[in-house]
Every structure is written in structure tokens, then in C-alpha cells.
Amino acid sequence: MSAGGIRPCHALMTKKLNPDPASEATQPPLSLEKAEKGSHRSMWELLLQLRVVLPYLARLVPLLDRGILKAGPDLTEFNKGFATMQTSSRDLEVQARNQALQLERIEQQMGRLRVVHESSIEESRKLVAEISALRRVFLTMSIVMAVLLGATVGMVAYLIVRS
């Protein structure tokens, strides 16, 4: 016997009703095809054939009754779980859409920032070019002023020495 008092199936299948082969030959076989309709013997033969299944049916019927009684609450729990899964799935879809919109906005802002950055780089290049040009102008002016100052100092010295 196994756990719970259930006998293994192979023990019931291999059990013989008549161990004596000589007695089997004298008794008519228990087949439904050879039994005559309406005879009491055929009904008894059918019941004898079904008696092997009766222990299984006796154990199966209470399980089915419990299963039918529990089917309602189990389905409601399943439906509740399924509904929560659907709502969480909807929430995830909404979050995914919101995140996609946020990503699009961020991409647009990044595009605008890229344009602003490129324009500021261009402006700084122009500013550097203008400062370089201004530096050259100041350098040229300072050289001219130094030459003029030297000429003025020379003329003043010439006038002072001559007078």
C-alpha cells in the first residue's frame, strides 16, 4: 500500500480472479459480446467487470464534490488576479507612453541645445576672429604711435639743440 491507503494500479491489474486454468476453461468467458440481451447472467457479468473500477470511483467522487464546491471561489480569485494583472498592464502601458513622450521631449530639448551650442561655438569663433583683428589693429596703431613718438622726440631734440 502507498500513502493515503491507495493501492498501486499494477497490483489490481495483475490480480487474477481464478488462479486455476482448468476452472477457466469450464466457465463461460465474461465478454459483453457473447452475452445475450435481457439475460440476468449478462447483467451480473457486467457488474463483475465494473467492480474493479468501483474503488477508484469511490475515491474520485468526493474529490469531484470538493472540486465543484471550491470552483466558485477559485474562479473569483483567479478573476481578481487576472483583473489586477490587466490593470497593472494598463498602468505599465500608460507609464511606457509617458516615458516615450518624455524621451521625445528630451530629444527635442537636446536638439535645441545642440543648435544653441553650435551657434554659440560659431559666435565664439567670430568673436575670436574679431579679437584677433582688433589685436592686429592695436599692434599696428601702437607701432605707428611709437614711430610718431620717436619722430616727435627727434624733432623736439633737433629744435632744442639748434636753438
Side-chain angles (χ1 to χ4, degrees):
M1 293 227 171
S2 62
I6 299 174
R7 287 182 250 155
C9 291
H10 67 279
L12 290 176
M13 297 293 214
T14 58
K15 185 177 173 184
K16 291 188 176 182
L17 296 177
N18 294 326
D20 185 21
S23 65
E24 286 182 21
T26 59
Q27 292 180 350
L30 296 178
S31 67
L32 294 175
E33 291 87 22
K34 293 183 179 179
E36 300 169 3
K37 286 189 176 180
S39 72
H40 293 291
R41 183 162 174 90
S42 67
M43 183 172 64
W44 283 111
E45 290 173 354
L46 178 64
L47 288 176
L48 283 175
Q49 288 177 353
L50 290 179
R51 76 181 174 141
V52 175
V53 180
L54 287 178
Y56 295 113
L57 288 176
R59 290 186 186 114
L60 186 63
V61 169
L63 293 175
L64 289 175
D65 286 341
R66 287 185 208 140
I68 290 172
L69 292 176
K70 289 182 180 179
D74 288 341
L75 289 178
T76 57
E77 292 297 321
F78 175 74
N79 288 338
K80 287 178 185 177
F82 191 69
T84 56
M85 282 177 40
Q86 283 181 336
T87 55
S88 64
S89 173
R90 287 186 201 124
D91 291 342
L92 286 175
E93 288 177 9
V94 168
Q95 287 178 355
R97 286 187 200 129
N98 288 340
Q99 287 178 353
L101 288 174
Q102 288 175 350
L103 283 175
E104 287 178 13
R105 290 178 189 151
I106 289 172
E107 287 176 356
Q108 290 172 354
Q109 288 176 352
M110 291 296 290
R112 288 191 296 256
L113 285 174
R114 186 179 305 122
V115 169
V116 168
H117 180 67
E118 289 172 356
S119 65
S120 69
I121 288 174
E122 186 64 32
E123 286 178 9
S124 64
R125 285 182 189 155
K126 287 180 184 177
L127 185 61
V128 166
E130 289 176 2
I131 289 174
S132 306
L134 188 61
R135 182 175 161 230
R136 279 187 235 121
V137 169
F138 278 133
L139 185 61
T140 307
M141 285 178 61
S142 62
I143 291 172
V144 168
M145 291 194 63
V147 169
L148 287 176
L149 182 64
T152 306
V153 169
M155 282 192 212
V156 169
Y158 175 75
L159 287 176
I160 291 180
V161 171
R162 198 156 182 230
S163 49

